[in-house]
Amino acid sequence: MKQVMLGLVLLAAAPAMLRAQKQEFVRYQVGKTVSYGRLDGDQIVQLRAAPWLGGTPTGVRVARRTATLLAPATPSKVIAVGLNYQTHLGERSAAAYPGLFAKLPTSIVADGDSVVLPPDAKNVHYEGEMVIVMGKRASNVSRERAKEYVFGVTTGNDVSERDWQKADLQWFRAKAADTFGPLGPVIVTGVNYDDLLLETRLNGTVVQSQRTKDLIFSVAEIVSYISRYVTLEPGDVIYSGTPGTTQQMKGGDVVEVVLEHVGTLRNPVVQRR
C-alpha cells in the first residue's frame, strides 16, 4: 500500500517536477557590461560565462527591468532548414533530407530591434521559427544521441526577400542581410521542443500557427544531418523551418513570433531609403 501511495504522489508531482526543470537564460547589458544570466522571477542571476560553457553564478543579481536583453547567443554559425513543414511545401513532396542554407551572424538582432529593409528590398517576408541552440561540439553525431548536444531552444524570424531568392545565384542577400535574423529574447531548457506551439503575428493578427511536432525533420534529425558535414560548436544556432504561408512585410509593420513556453520575439520593420 505504501508503494502504491508513493507512486500516486510521484505521479501527481510529475508536472511540477517537469516545470521545475525549465530554465530561462539571457544575454543582457547593464551600462557598458554585457553578461549572460539566468532568469529568476523579475531578477537576472549573472553567470561567469555562457550557460552552455558551464557558466556559474557570480553572486550578482540585477533587476530585469534595469537590463537590456540582447540576442541570447553570439553563434559562430547560423544554419537554417528550408521547407520543413508540409504546410509550407503545399502540394510539393517533402525532400529525402533537410534542405540547408546559411545565414550570417551579422544578420542577428535582438527582441525589440528593427528589421531594416534595404532600399531595393521590395518583397520581404517573415518566417517565424523555433531555433535550436547547440550546447556541445557536434561532429558526425547519430540521430539517437543528437539531443545530448542541444542546449535549448529560442524564438527566431528567418526574414527572407523572395525576389532575391529567385534572382540570385545563392540566398546570400535574401536570407543573410543585416537584421534578417531576429533571435530571442530567451533560451529555454527543460521543455519538450518536439511539441511546442509556434505562432507568428503581423500587426497583431495571427498569420502562422502550427506545432513543432509537425516538423518534417525533427530536431534530432536536423542536428545529426548537419553534423555529418559541418562541425557545430556550442552556441551555434539552427533555424528549424517555418510553417504555412508567409506574407510581405512593409515599413511600419510589427512582427511577433511566439513560441510556447519560450516567449515572444517582437520586431518593428523599417524601410531604409
Side-chain angles (χ1 to χ4, degrees):
M1 179 61 72
K2 288 183 179 180
Q3 290 179 334
V4 172
M5 291 299 295
L6 178 59
L8 290 173
V9 169
L10 291 174
L11 184 62
M17 292 168 64
L18 289 174
R19 285 194 297 272
Q21 294 174 359
K22 175 185 172 182
Q23 295 191 84
E24 298 175 296
F25 296 92
V26 295
R27 182 171 154 266
Y28 68 98
Q29 183 169 355
V30 176
K32 295 183 179 180
T33 302
V34 175
S35 307
Y36 285 95
R38 175 176 55 81
L39 292 183
D40 183 13
D42 61 358
Q43 292 191 320
I44 302 174
V45 178
Q46 187 185 61
L47 303 177
R48 289 186 172 85
W52 47 86
L53 298 179
T56 56
T58 63
V60 173
R61 287 174 172 260
V62 298
R64 181 171 178 172
R65 61 180 174 78
T66 66
T68 300
L69 297 189
L70 308 174
T74 56
S76 65
K77 289 181 287 298
V78 182
I79 300 173
V81 185
L83 304 174
N84 203 21
Y85 287 89
Q86 190 60 50
T87 54
H88 193 58
L89 275 166
E91 296 182 356
R92 291 170 290 179
S93 299
Y97 50 84
L100 304 177
F101 57 92
K103 297 172 77 74
L104 293 175
T106 48
S107 71
I108 290 179
V109 291
D111 173 57
D113 289 345
S114 295
V115 173
V116 181
L117 310 182
D120 55 339
K122 305 300 183 184
N123 190 18
V124 182
H125 288 215
Y126 56 78
E127 290 193 12
E129 308 197 6
M130 176 179 71
V131 179
I132 304 159
V133 182
M134 297 304 298
K136 296 194 295 185
R137 193 170 194 267
S139 177
N140 198 28
V141 301
S142 67
R143 175 182 171 183
E144 291 73 24
R145 294 196 59 191
K147 286 186 178 181
E148 299 174 20
Y149 295 81
V150 174
F151 178 76
V153 294
T154 187
T155 311
N157 185 355
D158 174 24
V159 177
S160 308
E161 214 292 356
R162 299 300 190 210
D163 293 342
W164 295 350
Q165 278 187 267
K166 296 175 183 177
D168 292 355
L169 175 64
Q170 294 186 350
W171 290 353
F172 179 81
R173 286 194 303 165
K175 296 283 194 176
D178 287 352
T179 78
F180 276 27
L183 193 71
V186 304
I187 298 170
V188 174
T189 63
V191 298
N192 178 17
Y193 43 70
D194 287 326
D195 189 14
L196 299 175
L197 177 63
L198 172 68
E199 289 192 336
T200 305
R201 301 173 188 152
L202 181 64
N203 301 323
T205 300
V206 175
V207 289
Q208 291 180 295
S209 182
Q210 196 153 359
R211 301 196 72 85
T212 58
K213 67 180 180 180
D214 296 325
L215 283 166
I216 295 169
F217 299 101
S218 68
V219 170
E221 290 171 312
I222 291 168
V223 170
S224 175
Y225 181 77
I226 293 172
S227 75
R228 295 183 200 174
Y229 310 102
V230 176
T231 299
L232 293 164
E233 300 290 351
D236 283 350
V237 299
I238 306 167
Y239 288 67
S240 62
T242 199
T245 56
T246 64
Q247 300 177 33
Q248 183 180 357
M249 305 183 302
K250 298 179 180 179
D253 287 344
V254 175
V255 181
E256 297 169 295
V257 184
V258 186
L259 187 59
E260 184 180 16
H261 301 310
V262 177
T264 301
L265 171 68
R266 184 181 187 275
N267 300 94
V269 181
V270 175
Q271 178 71 61
R272 194 172 79 225
R273 301 299 178 186

